[in-house]
Amino acid sequence: MAIGWKPPRASRAGRAGWAPAMFLAPFGVLFTLFFLLPIGYAIYQSLFKVHVSGLGLGPSSTATVFAGFSNYAQVFSDPSFWQGVARVLLFGIVQIPVMLAFATILALLLDSAAVRFRRFFRLAFFLPYGIPGVIAAILWSFLYLPGLSPVVAALHDTGFGTVNFLGANSALWSIANIVTWEYTG
C-alpha cells in the first residue's frame, strides 16, 4: 500500500449512506411496533361488531361480524360525539392561551432584576410538573370534594354558597385548573 492511499470513493459513499439508516432503525422498529401497529389494529377492530346473545345468566355466545363503516356512521351521527368534540376544542382554545400567558408572566417575573429568592420561585414554579399525576389527582380531589375541601368551606363561609367544582357545568374548568397548575411551570 502506498502512503496516502484512500479507498475508492464509491465504497466510502456507500457506507456513509447506510449510517443514518442504522441509527434510525431502532427508532423505526419501536415506533412501528408500539405506535403504528396498535393504531392499525384499532382501525381494523373498529370495522367489526360483536353480537352477544343471552342475558348473562346462562351460556351466552358471541359472534364477531364485519360491520364496515357502519360503526363510523353511527358515531358521526351521534350528537353526544359532536358535543364531546366541541368540549375538547373549547378546552384547547381556552387552555392553551391561558397556560402560555401564565408561563410568559412567570418567565418574565423570574427574569426581572427586582425578584428576590429567585431559586425558591424557580423551584416553586417547576415543582407541580415534577409531582406524579396520581399524587396531583389525589391532591386536587381533596381540594374539590365539597365535604373535605378547605377551599369549598372558605367559599361557603364568605357567602358564596356551596360551590361544586365537580358539577356538570364546572368539571371542565376544574380540569383546566389542574392542567394549568401542573404544566405552566
Side-chain angles (χ1 to χ4, degrees):
M1 282 205 303
I3 297 176
W5 180 83
K6 293 181 183 176
R9 276 193 134 344
S11 65
R12 195 179 332 159
R15 280 194 310 244
W18 281 98
M22 294 305 288
F23 281 112
L24 290 174
F27 167 77
V29 168
L30 293 174
F31 182 74
T32 301
L33 283 175
F34 295 108
F35 189 75
L36 295 179
L37 284 178
I39 289 174
Y41 185 67
I43 291 171
Y44 171 75
Q45 287 286 80
S46 72
L47 300 175
F48 292 91
K49 281 187 180 180
V50 176
H51 291 286
V52 179
S53 63
L55 298 174
L57 301 174
S60 62
S61 64
T62 60
T64 304
V65 180
F66 181 74
F69 291 109
S70 66
N71 289 338
Y72 290 101
Q74 184 179 359
V75 165
F76 290 137
S77 64
D78 187 5
S80 298
F81 171 76
W82 292 111
Q83 289 172 355
V85 169
R87 282 187 180 265
V88 169
L89 289 175
L90 175 66
F91 182 83
I93 288 170
V94 172
Q95 181 61 32
I96 291 170
V98 166
M99 198 163 26
L100 287 175
F102 280 148
T104 303
I105 291 168
L106 292 176
L108 290 173
L109 285 173
L110 283 179
D111 195 41
S112 172
V115 173
R116 300 176 71 191
F117 309 111
R118 186 171 289 161
R119 286 185 182 176
F120 169 76
F121 286 115
R122 282 184 186 158
L123 176 66
F125 296 156
F126 186 71
L127 186 63
Y129 185 76
I131 293 176
V134 173
I135 307 268
I138 292 170
L139 169 79
W140 284 103
S141 67
F142 172 73
L143 291 174
Y144 283 159
L145 284 176
L148 298 173
S149 174
V151 175
V152 172
L155 289 173
H156 181 71
D157 292 343
T158 56
F160 285 102
T162 303
V163 179
N164 186 5
F165 288 113
L166 301 176
N169 295 330
S170 59
L172 182 68
W173 306 116
S174 297
I175 294 169
N177 179 49
I178 294 169
V179 170
T180 302
W181 173 80
E182 180 139 5
Y183 295 110
T184 297

